[in-house]
Amino acid sequence: MGVRDIFGFGSAEPQLKGRDVAVIDVGSNSVRMVQYRVEGRMLWPVFNEKTMAGLGGGAAETGRLNPEGVEAALRTLKRFTQLLDAKGVTTRGAVATAAVRECVDGPDFVQRVRDETGLVIDVLSGEEEGRYSALGVLAGVGDAWGVTGDLGGSSLELTGLEGRNTLSAVSLPLGPLAVNAASHKAADLRDHVDEQLAKASKLLKDEGDTFYAVGGAWRSFANLSMTLRNYPLRLLHEYEMTPEQVRKAVDFAMSQSESSLASVPGVAAKRAASLPYAAMLLDRVIKAGEFSRVVFSANGLREGVVCVSDLSLVQEGDPLLSGAEAMAHSASPEPAFGLALADWLEPAFKGAPAAFSDIRDQRLRAAAARLCDIGARLHPDHRGDLAFTQVLYAPIGGLSHDERAFLALCLHHRYEGKTVRTDECVSSHLLTEEQRAAAVRVGLGLRFGAALSGRTAKLLKSFNLSRREDGLLITARPETEDLIVERAWKRFEQFCSAMGLKPIMSDRRASR
């Protein structure tokens, strides 16, 4: 029985919504368990633990699993099983990748795990591993065109992406454990990598201009790059690099000692030894595929294991809007208010200058509206800062880093009005002056809608906004006209001022 069956693949109604599920990934380097809370389309990682067991250590030479790694993995799997039993998480699946797949004693290890823990491990083929990782990437970024590459301890899986679909997948023996980088000269190692990548030449060159990097070694490389660039937002998911930025970081990584690399924030000591090789490999992949950018994904195989059993988690909805709705569901007293506010405010922004693009701006406004009330349970003196931070680092996808900073800034202005954040703020570094001004407009719009309606969807629907040539008209139903009190009107004036519009009240109310 594979993980598709464990998680209910093929059911008419998705079986994962509102449930806790756990995925155990038995890799060549590490054994990791992640527990997810599945809410709608969102996978919230609520528990994450790993052991660097090193199952694949020496496997390239011996063809067998590392004996010490086998014992470490078994101890870890026993612990994971007991943890899940204690947590009451019964929906669980375990997968194994290259080391267990390729070693002659892999089947014996799988049987021993079953005998000693009761855990059934699904050993994935290289193509399955690549597709699952790609599904995890799509769950976190939404539409994508390009190639995803998952670098594990023993192999590199490359999979094409087109919109919300995965294309062909290729598995290459290019993991650090498989090539034994320390025993090769740099030039010989590059030639070997290029020779292997040539087997995937068509895939690398035909599927788009973006390479999505997955895996612990490349996550360490991303953290190294952030340190070298003094990058203001220490967040891995959807961190982007140009080929030029990659080459600079590669040159640095290959010129440093292992101890020097281990001292870099975000670079695990056990990853430092393989970091120069992982850096060089990424550079060769970019060259082979002629990619114009690299996007790092925090999602990968484990998220894909969940998604393969419920493809609606990938193919339906929007990762940003779904994430915002899930956040609001647990934080807002009336989550429906944000949904209503998103549509209600849109007429005010017709013809407004774009911060990113018309389509992206509308999507960001829709997300900001859904998050409009996440500060309801927070201390009133600190709502602005707390809401900003919460949104900036939220584990939601479908956002570039500058869009993430924009969304967080919208929530700051929703609670703090026109108050400007300090020059040291992330938003000051990642956003242009025009984008910061646009965030003020969105935030003041949310602030006005909240004040007018008392943060209730029912009363909000009693009012309408419409653009005039030089003004913004608010119209109320007769029975709700008296709800436009001084506080609400003042916030309407502030919103209109930021929009460069004249505040106009309906003639009926103005003539009273």
Side-chain angles (χ1 to χ4, degrees):
M1 182 169 65
V3 289
R4 288 172 177 247
D5 305 300
I6 292 171
F7 288 111
F9 178 80
S11 56
E13 292 293 331
Q15 298 297 307
L16 302 181
K17 297 182 179 180
R19 299 170 61 190
D20 283 342
V21 302
V23 176
I24 297 172
D25 173 12
V26 183
S28 302
N29 262 325
S30 65
V31 178
R32 184 189 292 268
M33 179 183 76
V34 182
Q35 176 188 344
Y36 299 95
R37 172 66 53 81
V38 185
E39 295 178 350
R41 190 190 185 278
M42 282 302 300
L43 303 179
W44 298 110
V46 296
F47 184 83
N48 188 327
E49 183 173 303
K50 73 172 180 179
T51 296
M52 297 295 285
L55 264 178
E61 293 78 29
T62 66
R64 302 183 68 85
L65 296 172
N66 175 12
E68 293 180 359
V70 167
E71 298 306 319
L74 278 166
R75 288 193 299 272
T76 300
L77 293 172
K78 289 176 182 178
R79 169 176 167 78
F80 287 171
T81 302
Q82 291 184 52
L83 285 175
L84 292 176
D85 289 344
K87 290 170 174 285
V89 180
T90 57
T91 306
R92 60 185 77 166
V95 295
T97 53
V100 177
R101 175 171 70 236
E102 295 169 3
C103 288
V104 294
D105 54 346
D108 294 336
F109 171 77
V110 170
Q111 186 60 51
R112 186 177 170 190
V113 170
R114 186 167 189 170
D115 292 342
E116 296 186 22
T117 71
L119 195 64
V120 179
I121 297 178
D122 189 4
V123 182
L124 302 180
S125 68
E127 291 72 19
E128 286 176 324
E129 184 179 350
R131 178 171 179 255
Y132 287 19
S133 293
L135 285 173
V137 170
L138 291 176
V141 304
D143 295 333
W145 283 264
V147 175
T148 182
D150 185 355
L151 178 60
S154 297
S155 62
L156 169 64
E157 277 66 46
L158 300 168
T159 309
L161 302 175
E162 185 178 76
R164 300 288 180 94
N165 299 306
T166 62
L167 304 176
S168 59
V170 175
S171 180
L172 302 173
L174 286 175
L177 297 177
V179 301
N180 192 11
S183 65
H184 292 83
K185 293 181 180 180
D188 293 340
L189 194 56
R190 282 196 297 270
D191 289 343
H192 173 71
V193 167
D194 290 344
E195 181 181 337
Q196 289 293 322
L197 291 176
K199 299 176 182 178
S201 176
K202 180 174 175 57
L203 170 63
L204 287 169
K205 291 183 177 180
D206 290 354
E207 305 300 351
D209 65 351
T210 302
F211 183 72
Y212 295 88
V214 180
W218 279 342
R219 285 195 294 270
S220 291
F221 178 76
N223 280 310
L224 171 65
S225 167
M226 290 182 189
T227 298
L228 294 176
R229 294 174 62 189
N230 195 25
Y231 192 71
L233 179 57
R234 297 301 296 228
L235 187 77
L236 176 84
H237 192 57
E238 298 200 52
Y239 172 62
E240 295 187 21
M241 296 179 71
T242 65
E244 292 75 20
Q245 289 166 341
V246 169
R247 290 188 193 103
K248 289 180 180 179
V250 169
D251 291 342
F252 180 85
M254 298 188 73
S255 68
Q256 301 299 304
S257 67
E258 182 177 336
S259 59
S260 175
L261 292 173
S263 68
V264 175
V267 177
K270 290 190 176 182
R271 296 283 187 191
S274 61
L275 183 53
Y277 169 73
M280 181 274 290
L281 176 60
L282 181 59
D283 188 44
R284 305 314 289 177
V285 168
I286 293 171
K287 182 178 180 180
E290 299 176 0
F291 296 107
S292 63
R293 67 174 186 149
V294 177
V295 175
F296 293 85
S297 172
N299 282 18
L301 175 65
R302 290 172 290 276
E303 289 76 16
V305 168
V306 179
C307 293
V308 76
S309 65
D310 182 2
L311 291 176
S312 69
L313 296 171
V314 172
Q315 295 174 345
E316 297 177 7
D318 179 283
L320 170 58
L321 299 185
S322 298
E325 289 172 19
M327 286 182 67
H329 180 74
S330 61
S332 174
E334 188 184 333
F337 170 65
L339 290 168
L341 183 60
D343 293 333
W344 186 82
L345 268 180
E346 271 308 298
F349 289 93
K350 184 178 181 181
F356 296 92
S357 70
D358 289 342
I359 293 176
R360 301 297 291 180
D361 287 5
Q362 184 173 359
R363 182 170 170 267
L364 288 165
R365 288 194 295 269
R370 284 161 169 77
L371 296 169
C372 179
D373 212 15
I374 62 169
R377 293 182 170 91
L378 304 176
H379 192 288
D381 293 343
H382 303 284
R383 281 177 181 149
D385 281 340
L386 293 172
F388 177 90
T389 301
Q390 194 173 5
V391 172
L392 186 67
Y393 294 104
I396 56 178
L399 279 169
S400 64
H401 278 198
D402 51 354
E403 290 174 335
R404 185 178 287 272
F406 177 85
L407 185 61
L409 191 58
C410 290
L411 269 294
H412 163 80
H413 289 296
R414 179 265 180 268
Y415 287 108
E416 301 295 335
K418 294 185 289 184
T419 302
V420 178
R421 293 187 67 84
T422 65
D423 291 340
E424 292 76 27
C425 179
V426 168
S427 58
S428 298
H429 292 275
L430 293 182
L431 301 177
T432 65
E433 183 178 348
E434 290 76 14
Q435 288 169 335
R436 293 195 296 273
V440 172
R441 293 193 289 270
V442 174
L444 293 182
L446 302 178
R447 192 171 173 83
F448 161 57
L452 177 66
S453 64
R455 311 199 316 264
T456 64
K458 181 177 180 179
L459 289 181
L460 187 68
K461 294 174 183 177
S462 300
F463 303 92
N464 287 307
L465 289 178
S466 56
R467 286 283 292 259
R468 296 293 184 264
E469 184 173 340
D470 61 347
L472 185 61
L473 172 68
I474 180 171
T475 305
R477 294 176 184 172
E479 67 273 17
T480 58
E481 288 177 343
D482 290 333
L483 290 175
I484 309 178
V485 294
E486 181 180 356
R487 179 169 176 263
W489 181 255
K490 182 177 180 180
R491 292 192 176 177
F492 182 48
E493 289 180 320
Q494 291 173 342
F495 176 45
C496 289
S497 175
M499 296 289 292
L501 298 171
K502 177 183 176 182
I504 307 171
M505 193 180 296
S506 62
D507 292 339
R508 178 167 49 205
R509 170 69 189 269
S511 64
R512 288 180 57 185

